[in-house]
Amino acid sequence: VREAADHLRLWRRSVQERPEEVIDDLKTAWFRSLVGPARPLAAPWESYYLDENNRLFTDSTREVRAAFRAHGLEFEKKNREPDDHIGLMLSFLAVLAGREAEAVEAGDEETARSLQKDQADFIDNHVLTFVDEWAAAMAEKSDSDFYAGMALLACGLVKERRAQLEEELSDSEDAGATSGAGGECCKEAVSCAC
């Protein structure tokens, strides 16, 4: 996160020096970094990093699509752009976190725990499989300190969220293990949270 802040400070300085060019610079850097004239400098798709030939629309794309569908979500550009795009994946996690917050507010601990588990699984099985490599590519190859900083920040925030989920899921297991008479709730809580 410190490196992200450094990049964002450099970007802010460039904005102050050349404010009239900021929007054009960001558009150009976005295109080169994430779309590319031929290939993006930092491909934003999980499948790109997992496939030895950097192919898109692989099993990981289908798995991400299934995770979206399991929560009633579908990407508008399905079959034209891979669902395993880092931006879509982070948006999906934000939707799940929002639903988790609503469940907590409504006192629905079971749904909240289920959404926490789904977030943790999605982060483990999809985001953490490539986010370090993607963020490093953005930091090293992007023409923009803004995009480099945002990629590193996203990477750090995903890892922080994963650690937070680990703690919350562990706390809910511990709470279930200590409640109830005769240990019956303990078995149920542990098996539900796993």
Side-chain angles (χ1 to χ4, degrees):
V1 176
R2 183 170 287 133
E3 188 179 351
D6 292 343
H7 279 282
L8 292 172
R9 271 192 285 282
L10 289 171
W11 176 74
R12 192 174 105 211
R13 199 171 300 135
S14 73
V15 168
Q16 292 168 340
E17 293 169 4
R18 306 175 304 108
E20 65 285 341
E21 298 172 24
V22 171
I23 299 299
D24 287 339
D25 288 352
L26 284 175
K27 287 178 183 177
T28 301
W30 172 82
F31 185 81
R32 286 179 39 79
S33 299
L34 299 169
V35 178
R39 279 195 139 169
L41 297 174
W45 307 283
E46 177 191 19
S47 48
Y48 177 89
Y49 295 93
L50 299 185
D51 186 83
E52 64 185 40
N53 296 314
N54 303 121
R55 288 179 303 163
L56 305 179
F57 291 104
T58 63
D59 288 343
S60 65
T61 308
R62 288 182 283 282
E63 290 168 10
V64 167
R65 184 176 295 162
F68 290 178
R69 253 193 240 128
H71 288 277
L73 301 171
E74 190 169 274
F75 179 42
E76 291 176 6
K77 293 183 180 180
K78 186 172 91 177
N79 298 324
R80 289 181 286 156
E81 185 171 330
D83 298 57
D84 59 350
H85 186 288
I86 187 66
L88 292 174
M89 295 167 85
L90 295 176
S91 295
F92 174 64
L93 289 170
V95 167
L96 295 186
R99 290 178 181 175
E100 175 197 343
E102 291 170 359
V104 167
E105 193 172 301
D108 186 352
E109 291 180 31
E110 185 178 331
T111 298
R113 263 195 316 279
S114 176
L115 288 162
Q116 288 172 341
K117 179 86 169 89
D118 289 350
Q119 290 172 72
D121 289 345
F122 190 79
I123 291 169
D124 290 345
N125 296 323
H126 295 289
V127 182
L128 291 180
T129 62
F130 79 106
V131 74
D132 282 320
E133 195 172 350
W134 169 75
M138 285 293 284
E140 293 169 19
K141 299 174 184 176
S142 178
D143 300 340
S144 169
D145 283 310
F146 174 79
Y147 288 113
M150 294 305 288
L152 292 167
L153 182 61
C155 182
L157 290 174
V158 165
K159 291 177 180 181
E160 179 61 32
R161 178 62 179 148
R162 182 59 184 96
Q164 182 184 37
L165 287 165
E166 182 71 28
E167 186 176 310
E168 290 171 357
L169 289 167
S170 176
D171 287 349
S172 68
E173 284 179 11
D174 292 344
T178 59
S179 67
E184 290 305 310
C185 288
C186 173
K187 292 177 187 170
E188 190 175 309
V190 171
S191 65
C192 288
C194 295

